[in-house]
Amino acid sequence: MTRVLIVDDDPVTVLAARTSLEAAGFDVTTSQDPRQALDLATSDPPDVAVLDVVMPEMSGFELFRALRQAPSTRSLPIVFLSARGEAENRIRGLREGAEDFVVKPFDPVELALRVGRVARSPDSEESALEGNLQDFPCPTVLQRLQEEKKSGLLTLSSAKGHAVFVLDEGTVRSAALGSLTGTEAVLAALDLETGRFEFETRPVSQDRPSWADANLDIQSILLRSAWIEDQTRRLSPLLPKPGEVFARSGPVPPEDLERWPELALPAIAEALEEGVPSTLVELAKELALSPAHLRLALAVLRRSGTLVLVKGSAPTPQRDPG
């Protein structure tokens, strides 16, 4: 039975987490004292630790670092808990190297699924190098292959598309998904929530495509994906829908270019000829941007008035690009 240690100074959260995880079949130990939890974990390591971020005397991040320094818990999978809206904590948690991050208040089923996913690694399956993306999401697979310094070809197959990654001793040398390559392909692949993954060990020299990038930084791309997701949630009312018709009404304001340097606003504005109607699907075919990047950029342009909806347009049941 998978053993889980929950560390949170809030007794209500501890009770809710313990109840949901025990109902899912986990063996749960709890602690409201981070220092006591450190002793518990290092003396008898659990399979997974669930840590609250904000705790008195010792934060979840400090406890995480202490666990990583102890030989017995150096590779212990960690899931962070944090209050809704604390995007900086989520980004910091990913930067620190945690396996997952759950927002409070959490759904009991979601918490159990996430803990179950990080408790098992792809290597624990009978078929060591293949599995379901529902069980092992793309970030989990990539991080595990990096940790194991694997070399070969990783393929993801989903109804939304097929992604290919070339790894050399854990470093992602190149990535492609449909017409997307490099960072944009990785961002799109992170949205593949269902389907299959398969990793084939082979010399990477056999798989060097002409579009290969040099050393894609997966951790930085994961942070960027988290940032895009947070900003998209904030601008959700402005997100364009498939079938909606829009047009550019003027240049991109300088303040938007300065505030959003991570987004390809100039390229999108250039692709949108002023006054000429277009749709999300049509624009996606023209620009080599991931769906998440493109949707956020269009929302930013709508907010500034650079992009306007054409009167009388309405969303139609078309499929999102990617």
Side-chain angles (χ1 to χ4, degrees):
M1 182 180 294
T2 301
R3 298 167 58 238
V4 181
L5 173 62
I6 300 171
V7 188
D8 196 312
D9 64 304
D10 178 16
V12 175
T13 299
V14 169
L15 178 61
R18 179 170 197 155
T19 301
S20 64
L21 292 178
E22 287 183 341
F26 295 98
D27 179 9
V28 180
T29 301
T30 66
S31 176
Q32 294 175 232
D33 182 343
R35 299 189 185 281
Q36 177 198 50
L38 178 60
D39 292 336
L40 286 172
T42 53
S43 62
D44 186 16
D47 298 305
V48 183
V50 179
L51 312 181
D52 185 30
V53 169
V54 181
M55 295 184 286
E57 297 185 10
M58 189 180 199
S59 72
F61 294 128
E62 291 171 327
L63 176 56
F64 173 85
R65 287 192 289 271
L67 291 168
R68 283 290 187 259
Q69 291 171 2
S72 61
T73 54
R74 187 166 294 150
S75 60
L76 174 65
I78 301 293
V79 176
F80 275 123
L81 294 175
S82 184
R84 188 180 304 277
E86 295 179 353
E88 67 279 5
N89 281 340
R90 179 184 178 188
I91 293 174
R92 183 178 175 186
L94 289 170
R95 185 180 293 117
E96 294 274 353
E99 277 71 22
D100 209 341
F101 199 104
V102 177
V103 175
K104 297 190 294 185
F106 51 80
D107 179 273
V109 175
E110 179 188 7
L111 178 63
L113 286 173
R114 287 179 180 269
V115 169
R117 285 172 178 173
V118 303
R120 300 168 295 165
S121 74
D123 291 338
S124 67
E125 296 294 300
E126 289 184 11
S127 182
L129 298 174
E130 64 177 334
N132 293 318
L133 291 173
Q134 298 94 311
D135 297 326
F136 307 115
C138 179
T140 300
V141 176
L142 285 173
Q143 289 176 327
R144 177 62 60 180
L145 293 174
Q146 283 189 315
E147 291 171 5
E148 299 295 330
K149 297 187 180 299
K150 297 290 189 180
S151 296
L153 195 68
L154 171 67
T155 57
L156 309 179
S157 301
S158 168
K160 290 184 177 181
H162 302 278
V164 179
F165 297 84
V166 177
L167 290 94
D168 181 10
E169 295 186 352
T171 298
V172 178
R173 299 294 188 187
S174 58
L177 193 161
S179 62
L180 302 178
T181 61
T183 296
E184 295 300 320
V186 179
L187 288 172
L190 296 178
D191 286 336
L192 302 180
E193 298 177 347
T194 61
R196 299 278 301 172
F197 76 85
E198 182 176 355
F199 181 76
E200 180 184 354
T201 301
R202 61 166 72 175
V204 296
S205 59
Q206 296 180 11
D207 304 301
R208 294 293 289 172
S210 59
W211 43 259
D213 293 279
N215 304 346
L216 289 168
D217 187 341
I218 294 301
Q219 199 63 29
S220 294
I221 297 174
L222 289 174
L223 294 176
R224 184 176 181 182
S225 176
W227 176 82
I228 289 176
E229 184 177 337
D230 290 329
Q231 298 302 319
T232 297
R233 187 180 301 111
R234 189 166 62 87
L235 297 178
S236 58
L238 296 171
L239 295 176
K241 300 176 178 60
E244 285 185 333
V245 181
F246 46 81
R248 181 165 65 89
S249 62
V252 181
E255 55 268 27
D256 275 357
L257 295 175
E258 183 177 349
R259 181 178 178 184
W260 305 89
E262 304 89 346
L263 302 178
L265 299 182
I268 294 172
E270 184 177 347
L272 286 166
E273 186 177 347
E274 189 165 344
V276 177
S278 185
T279 67
L280 176 64
V281 174
E282 291 169 345
L283 193 58
K285 292 178 180 178
E286 190 172 347
L287 294 169
L289 298 175
S290 67
H293 180 167
L294 180 58
R295 284 194 293 265
L296 174 58
L298 292 177
V300 169
L301 293 175
R302 280 192 65 185
R303 188 175 67 168
S304 67
T306 302
L307 191 71
V308 295
L309 284 178
V310 177
K311 289 184 178 180
S313 72
T316 57
Q318 298 184 41
R319 182 176 163 188
D320 276 316

